[in-house]
Amino acid sequence: MFFRLITGRLDGGLGYLLGDAAADEAVAIDPAPGEHALLRGLLAERRVALRRILCTHLHDGAREWSRLESLAAELGADGVVAGDDAPAGPNRAGDGANIVFGDQVIHVLATPGHTPGSVSFLWHDRVFCGDVLDAAAGAGHASPVDPGELYDSVTRKLFRLPDETLVYPGHRQSGRTVSTIADERARHPEFATLGRDAFVAACLRRRAAPQGAVSRRGAHAAVVTGGR
């Protein structure tokens, strides 16, 4: 198998190419706008066929979905797969679904909160979670769509993975492109120190406060957002 990180020049987003070299097949996760030529070149270099494009979440569903479908058609992929952010139909992958390419299996975890249909993809020792753990990246991030669902996604899904699980986010976190579940637990103590109701209340206070009005102490408790 092989794995390649692709950094978007236009938006700084992080995309990923996962491949089964023995089967000459690959999938792309969250390919960034403007990186189509690079993705095509990497596929050619490895001499693998792109089977599917996987998407952790969509903000502007129709426009983003159209871009991804066009890219899939351009690269000869079978289609695009996402969670409930995707249009209704066979392209939706729910919690517990498996995505197969070659001899590789990717497990789908429903992790809503950042968007209603956010999902994470678990592959061997690593999880690709989009912006779910962008929650505590720092001030200036918009509130999650549903703080309660975000809390459940983090505490019941992601933080139940083994400590050594590698975490690959949708954007750099403090300059880093990879961490571990143990790192994320330490970086986000609010998920351990706050119960669900207190977490939701902190998010709602942050959402209602004028920008810049949250104190450093309050910001620490409320830096649990999931937007960008």
Side-chain angles (χ1 to χ4, degrees), residues 71-164:
L71 177 61
E74 176 186 338
L75 298 177
D78 295 335
V80 184
V81 177
D84 288 347
D85 288 340
N91 293 319
R92 285 187 176 182
D95 189 59
N98 293 325
I99 299 168
V100 178
F101 66 102
D103 292 328
Q104 302 296 311
V105 179
I106 296 173
H107 305 286
V108 179
L109 307 176
T111 49
H114 173 60
T115 65
S118 291
V119 293
S120 298
F121 300 110
L122 181 64
W123 184 56
H124 295 290
D125 62 346
R126 59 204 62 192
V127 64
F128 305 87
C129 59
D131 289 341
V132 173
L133 285 172
D134 201 23
H141 287 257
S143 296
V145 169
D146 190 317
E149 285 197 333
L150 178 65
Y151 184 89
D152 294 340
S153 294
V154 173
T155 59
R156 297 180 183 178
K157 295 288 182 66
L158 297 180
F159 282 5
R160 290 188 178 180
L161 296 173
D163 283 354
E164 63 273 17

Side-chain angles (χ1 to χ4, degrees), residues 145-216:
V145 169
D146 190 317
E149 285 197 333
L150 178 65
Y151 184 89
D152 294 340
S153 294
V154 173
T155 59
R156 297 180 183 178
K157 295 288 182 66
L158 297 180
F159 282 5
R160 290 188 178 180
L161 296 173
D163 283 354
E164 63 273 17
T165 303
L166 298 172
V167 177
Y168 288 92
H171 293 83
R172 291 178 184 269
Q173 305 289 345
S174 302
R176 299 175 66 185
T177 59
V178 61
S179 63
T180 66
I181 289 294
D183 291 336
E184 296 300 327
R185 286 199 188 98
R187 196 166 69 93
H188 301 299
E190 61 273 14
F191 288 107
T193 59
L194 297 178
R196 190 180 193 273
D197 290 346
F199 178 90
V200 171
C203 286
L204 295 179
R205 285 196 300 271
R206 178 184 174 86
R207 184 179 294 174
Q211 187 171 0
V214 182
S215 67
R216 285 183 61 85

